[in-house]
Amino acid sequence: MNKREEVLEGFSEVFNKRAWLDKAKMETALAGYTASEVHCIEFIGKHQDPNVTKMAESMYMTRGAISKLTKKMLKKKYIESYQKADNKKEIYFKLTEEGENVFNIHEQLHKEFEERDKEVFAPVTEEQYDAFLTFLERYNQHLEAEIKKQGLTIN
């Protein structure tokens, strides 16, 4: 296996192990909420004036899937919709008290996981971070270009 393959396999292995390790605690703390609902709540909690299009792009889901998800979440009262006075066409979302509670639990879990893993990041230098972030940005741009080249769209 060459270095490129090792890097790609390493990304996959680390991502999968972290997801597997975090899953049990997430499922226990957020029992009753689907992963999609939690990710949607996270997006709404972290962004100003979130709408279906922004969520679809960020979550790599279709607008139709996000519309269906937000309708369920509105019915369950995890989120509320609103419109701006200057734009009655666009619908935006904000968290309800229950949605805020889920958001806060999720954020706290991420802080716990970050604390658990901090020893791995302690010896990493700024230069190493910069090099890694540069690589990730280049790779991300490459993948975006490939998506466009193939005519694929999220929406």
Side-chain angles (χ1 to χ4, degrees):
M1 182 176 341
N2 65 36
K3 296 252 186 218
R4 181 177 4 150
E5 291 168 332
E6 287 182 50
V7 166
L8 291 173
E9 191 171 300
F11 274 145
S12 184
E13 189 173 352
V14 166
F15 177 82
N16 290 335
K17 279 182 183 171
R18 185 167 185 231
W20 181 78
L21 186 59
D22 298 352
K23 183 180 178 187
K25 195 160 195 175
M26 284 274 197
E27 286 178 345
T28 300
L30 297 166
Y33 302 93
T34 67
S36 293
E37 289 170 343
V38 173
H39 287 126
C40 192
I41 287 169
E42 178 184 27
F43 184 88
I44 293 169
K46 288 185 175 183
H47 294 87
Q48 189 166 345
D49 299 325
N51 61 23
V52 168
T53 301
K54 289 178 186 175
M55 286 190 283
E57 289 171 356
S58 175
M59 296 171 65
Y60 294 92
M61 294 173 71
T62 64
R63 285 193 309 256
I66 293 293
S67 290
K68 188 175 179 182
L69 177 60
T70 55
K71 282 179 186 162
K72 286 180 184 176
M73 293 175 66
L74 286 163
K75 191 174 183 179
K76 293 178 178 181
K77 301 197 184 315
Y78 302 162
I79 61 173
E80 296 174 348
S81 62
Y82 67 95
Q83 293 176 305
K84 293 183 180 182
D86 62 340
N87 183 356
K88 294 294 183 188
K89 180 182 164 194
E90 193 65 55
I91 297 171
Y92 302 96
F93 301 99
K94 63 182 179 180
L95 300 177
T96 61
E97 188 176 327
E98 183 169 356
E100 284 283 348
N101 185 45
V102 171
F103 178 80
N104 291 331
I105 291 168
H106 187 255
E107 288 296 295
Q108 183 57 43
L109 288 169
H110 277 288
K111 286 179 184 164
E112 287 179 32
F113 302 149
E114 192 174 308
E115 183 67 22
R116 174 198 67 204
D117 298 340
K118 75 179 184 180
E119 69 186 55
V120 174
F121 293 93
V124 179
T125 66
E126 284 299 311
E127 293 80 17
Q128 289 172 320
Y129 275 124
D130 290 343
F132 192 66
L133 290 170
T134 298
F135 168 76
L136 286 176
E137 180 60 26
R138 282 183 43 224
Y139 194 31
N140 190 42
Q141 288 174 354
H142 166 74
L143 294 175
E144 288 288 333
E146 286 298 312
I147 288 168
K148 286 179 184 169
K149 191 190 304 180
Q150 294 183 30
L152 300 173
T153 59
I154 303 304
N155 308 320

